[in-house]
Amino acid sequence: MKFNTKTITVTLILILFLAGFFFRINLDGIDTTHPGNLKAANAFYHVIAADHIANSGEIFSNPYWDAEGHDDIINRVSQHEAITIAPLIKLTQAEAWNLSYLIVVLLSSLSIPLMYLLTKKLFKSEIMGILSAALIVLPMALDNWLYYMYIGIWLQSSVTPFLLLAMIFIIDILKKPKTWEILALSITISAIFLLFPPVLIFIIPFLLIILWRLLKEKDLKKILYYITIPIISILIFGPILLFGDAGIAAQDDKLIEIGTPNYQSAPFAKGLEVIPIILLAFGTYGLIQLLLNHKKYKKILLSIFYLGGIFYILPFLMHGHVGYYLLRMKGGFLIYLAAPLIAYGIYHLIIKNMTRVSKNNTLKTSLAIIIIIILIITALPSFNGLKTALNYEHISKEKYEVMLWVQENIPEREQMLILEGDYQLSGTYFKRTRFTLEQQQLNEYFVGLSQGNDPNEIKGFWSGYPDWGKWSKRTGYFSFEKYEPLNKTQKLTNFNYIYLEHLNQDIANMNQQIGNFLIQQHNYETIYNEGAYTILKKQ
Amino acid sequence: MKKLIMTELAIIFIISLVLKNFMHSVAFTIFFTFLFFIPILPWIIKLKTGNLEKIVLTNVIGLALIPTLYIFIGSIMKLNIIIYILIPLIILILGLYKDKYLKKK
């Protein structure tokens, strides 16, 4: 093998990609026995969606047990990611929660070589590309920059490589429109639209410029290559996006309203302020250098100002729902804008200055490798801290065994009462239509019980996603109809099956009281009683 | 082409080892490569770029295109294993055929 700069570069990018992958996968980990690696409701939702597609083949519906018992409530979230995972669930027979996390991590890690390619294209420098890629292997303040990935807000995380690839094609096409790149761009933007459409805002002006140029050229073949797949995608998903459950038209919030955005202090709304000051200084230096060479970097600067405007100005003009989404994107995507600038700054301030006398590329690459090692080592404490913080489970192995027992022994269409403080939709894996209580509701119920209230009266919610928003079934291409929501005040005795979880001794005592009430006065029997879990059945 | 497929298989196998089950890892490697990589490869192989670019482009375009086509089909009928396999197979055959057709021309 010829040992040249190119080989070193390829090897380095491969190492960075694999390092990025293994760091990311180790945050939530892989659990072969139970879905302990799912850290929030979003993750549960996406895994269940993939599992549902694998089992039913239906791409626009929810499982009935997560939709108040209805089979035809449409899925408000686009299923591009779930459809990527579904065939792998079907064909490999591996656990859905592991395959889902694996694919999301793989997509997130693919951003590393793509960042190299993008930066190399922007600044025509291999070393800047490598540095830029290294900056997102373990982005410092990774609790901020990898938040979407490890918490389970996966669509925003999965869309990143497609966004970066679209940017690479846009740069090339704006220089010289090649047919294959136009087709590849159209595939990529369709995937973005079907995966997480809000991020199209980052590239829409460039896409319109390309369309305008193609129309001006009057090259019908290229125009068709450019618009066909996106138009089919819009025809399929557009009506759901606009008029379906989570559709823009269904939101109460005003679309445009000047003011301070909600959630401004939330972790996902943080931006450049979480980047360590030294890297921020390199980035600022990089930006100043670009400004000084504004004639050469005019297009890059315009793009930076456009993207900066989206993150820092637009949320203040569109608060409500849209502003909230823009803020969420800031916490996930700003690093991809900052990394090339920081790499540019590091290259010009350190590498270029230190290798001024020598034009030896190997020396530059060696320096870059040293900087990369320092960057990764410096980020390791942050990684370990985050890994420790994520060392919790919403579903323990023991609880998952109960859930499997429920799946096997309780009839499919049965409505169950889950008497626990449902948190982050972890009860999803009962795979039954379930009435459950939030922690606060559970506390109030137990307090009422100790004060002698009627144990039979209970307030809770029907667990599943319809409770989150305005859900409906599709009645026509553009028309959607809502079901009457189920009653949120119920009686214990309405349910044939009641699940009790003894989280601590006090709750166990309360559950004992409830059990006695049901068994002695209402003919219930215990059908499962293992560890901290009891299931009662009406005789 | 063979070299790129072998490289992809090696990388995906290394990655899939995290599944902690050898059979799952092997199945994942084979099916991931078959569904999302191999069908796109004939379309990318002739590009005048390095192997790194080719592998990255093939993976990302495959992960963009194949699920998009599943959605197109899934919007008119239920998906099943045959469709999961048939769609990548058609893209692969089209790519290979296009290659041979261009050679003849």
Side-chain angles (χ1 to χ4, degrees), chain A residues 353-387:
Chain A
N353 278 329
M354 287 180 80
T355 55
R356 190 160 281 178
V357 264
S358 161
K359 293 210 169 182
N360 189 347
N361 260 341
T362 315
L363 185 61
K364 285 182 182 175
T365 313
S366 309
L367 262 175
I369 292 171
I370 293 167
I371 292 168
I372 288 167
I373 291 168
I374 293 169
L375 279 171
I376 293 176
I377 287 176
T378 326
L380 279 178
S382 179
F383 173 80
N384 290 328
L386 184 56
K387 197 168 156 35

Side-chain angles (χ1 to χ4, degrees), chain A residues 60-62 72-77 234-250 470-484:
Chain A
F60 289 126
S61 70
N62 288 280
D72 52 358
I73 288 186
I74 59 156
N75 213 322
R76 69 178 182 177
V77 181
I234 291 168
L235 286 174
I236 290 172
F237 190 54
I240 295 173
L241 189 68
L242 282 173
F243 305 107
D245 309 320
I248 292 164
K470 301 149 189 161
W471 291 76
S472 45
K473 60 176 173 174
R474 198 170 190 166
T475 50
Y477 185 65
F478 284 118
S479 57
F480 299 86
E481 211 173 81
K482 289 176 180 47
Y483 280 106
E484 196 62 40

Side-chain angles (χ1 to χ4, degrees), chain B residues 1 27 73:
Chain B
M1 191 140 140
I73 302 296

Side-chain angles (χ1 to χ4, degrees), chain B residues 1 4-6 10 30 32 39 41 43-44 48-51 54 58 62-64 70 73 75-77 82 84 90 92:
Chain B
M1 191 140 140
L4 289 180
I5 293 174
M6 293 314 286
I30 292 168
F32 181 90
L41 197 55
W43 302 84
I44 299 284
K48 284 173 190 161
T49 55
N51 284 345
K54 278 180 190 165
T58 310
L63 285 163
Y70 289 154
I73 302 296
S75 67
I76 48 174
M77 64 187 289
I82 297 168
Y84 290 142
I90 292 169
L92 172 65

Side-chain angles (χ1 to χ4, degrees), chain B residues 4-19:
Chain B
L4 289 180
I5 293 174
M6 293 314 286
T7 311
E8 171 77 3
L9 282 169
I11 294 171
I12 298 298
F13 182 67
I14 292 170
I15 280 169
S16 71
L17 285 173
V18 296
L19 289 171

